[in-house]
Amino acid sequence: MIAVNEKWLELADVKDELAVRDWFMGTSGNLAIKVADEPLEFLVTASGKDKKKRTDEDFLLVDGNGQPIIERFLTPSAETLLHCAIYKKTNAGCSLHVHTVANNVISELYGDAGKIDFQGQELIKAFGLWEEDAVLTIPIIANHADIPTLTREFESTISADKGAVLIRNHGITVWGKNSFEAKKLLEACEFLFQYQLALQLQLK
């Protein structure tokens, strides 16, 4: 129970930081943090909650299939299965999913290509890419309404313990070894998206 409480507060702090940036418009977005490996258990945001407020019902504990363990009166976020896929395939400890104007526009502009590449920008170093010619590739997948279908395509893009995937006209999911790394990757991605959009305006 101590571990659950500590992780709860850790995830609540991340939620508060992202809420200040208005990254949870219309109660959108969801966050998760791993509590245990065997069996897999993690905290995930409850569906339909105002993430700008901190309450005792912000998160619920779920199992490896995304099913509630204790708080039966709360409903896990719709994309909980995405977090399940991450924790089953990687050693990540935290995963974050947000909807912003920038990541939605980028996902539409580059959606047909199925990816967006960044090279030469300083913030790709957040992903551990330090080589002179390093390229950060962020996959873009279709926004399937059926969550199991979305999860299967999402799962096919997971190849490392940290990463990011855009869902077209939906949002971005990032994951890392802990909440600090996951938040760092999310911030880096959002910076890169805003940079790319601003650059395109200048080139017109």
Side-chain angles (χ1 to χ4, degrees):
M1 186 59 70
I2 293 176
V4 173
N5 291 338
E6 289 178 348
K7 293 297 184 180
W8 182 292
L9 293 174
E10 185 177 343
L11 194 59
D13 286 343
V14 173
K15 181 177 72 70
D16 290 348
E17 287 188 55
L18 302 186
V20 170
R21 296 179 169 133
D22 276 340
W23 285 357
F24 297 127
M25 301 299 287
T27 75
S28 66
N30 45 80
L31 318 173
I33 193 166
K34 190 191 293 182
V35 173
D37 286 298
E38 295 293 340
L40 174 59
E41 296 179 354
F42 61 94
L43 288 166
V44 67
T45 41
S47 181
K49 298 293 183 180
D50 184 350
K51 296 175 183 65
K52 292 183 179 179
K53 299 178 180 178
R54 184 181 287 212
T55 75
D56 293 336
E57 299 180 357
D58 288 339
F59 313 114
L60 66 159
L61 191 66
V62 299
D63 61 22
N65 296 315
Q67 295 301 308
I69 294 174
I70 301 174
E71 297 86 352
R72 301 292 180 181
F73 59 92
L74 295 174
T75 302
S77 293
E79 291 93 359
T80 296
L81 289 181
L82 301 183
H83 301 288
C84 290
I86 290 167
Y87 298 139
K88 287 178 179 179
K89 289 196 67 174
T90 76
N91 293 313
C94 183
S95 45
L96 311 173
H97 174 84
V98 302
H99 307 223
T100 67
V101 173
N103 68 41
N104 270 251
V105 174
I106 286 290
S107 74
E108 177 62 17
L109 290 176
Y110 294 88
D112 289 345
K115 66 184 178 74
I116 180 170
D117 295 327
F118 294 99
Q119 184 175 24
Q121 286 93 350
E122 183 69 12
L123 263 68
I124 69 172
K125 292 178 180 177
F127 286 82
L129 300 173
W130 293 83
E131 297 81 6
E132 191 74 26
D133 57 351
V135 178
L136 170 64
T137 298
I138 300 177
I140 303 172
I141 64 174
N143 184 20
H144 300 287
D146 180 66
I147 298 300
T149 301
L150 176 64
T151 302
R152 285 192 293 272
E153 185 168 358
F154 176 81
E155 189 174 16
S156 71
T157 69
I158 301 173
S159 60
D161 290 339
K162 61 183 174 184
V165 175
L166 278 164
I167 303 172
R168 191 168 184 173
N169 282 324
H170 182 144
I172 189 171
T173 300
V174 303
W175 61 95
K177 63 182 177 181
N178 51 38
S179 63
F180 175 82
E181 182 171 67
K183 184 168 69 73
K184 177 181 72 173
L185 298 179
L186 179 59
E187 291 170 342
C189 287
E190 291 297 327
F191 173 91
L192 291 168
F193 299 153
Q194 292 177 47
Y195 165 87
Q196 190 68 19
L197 293 174
L199 181 63
Q200 289 191 353
L201 284 176
Q202 292 298 317
L203 294 176
K204 285 186 177 180

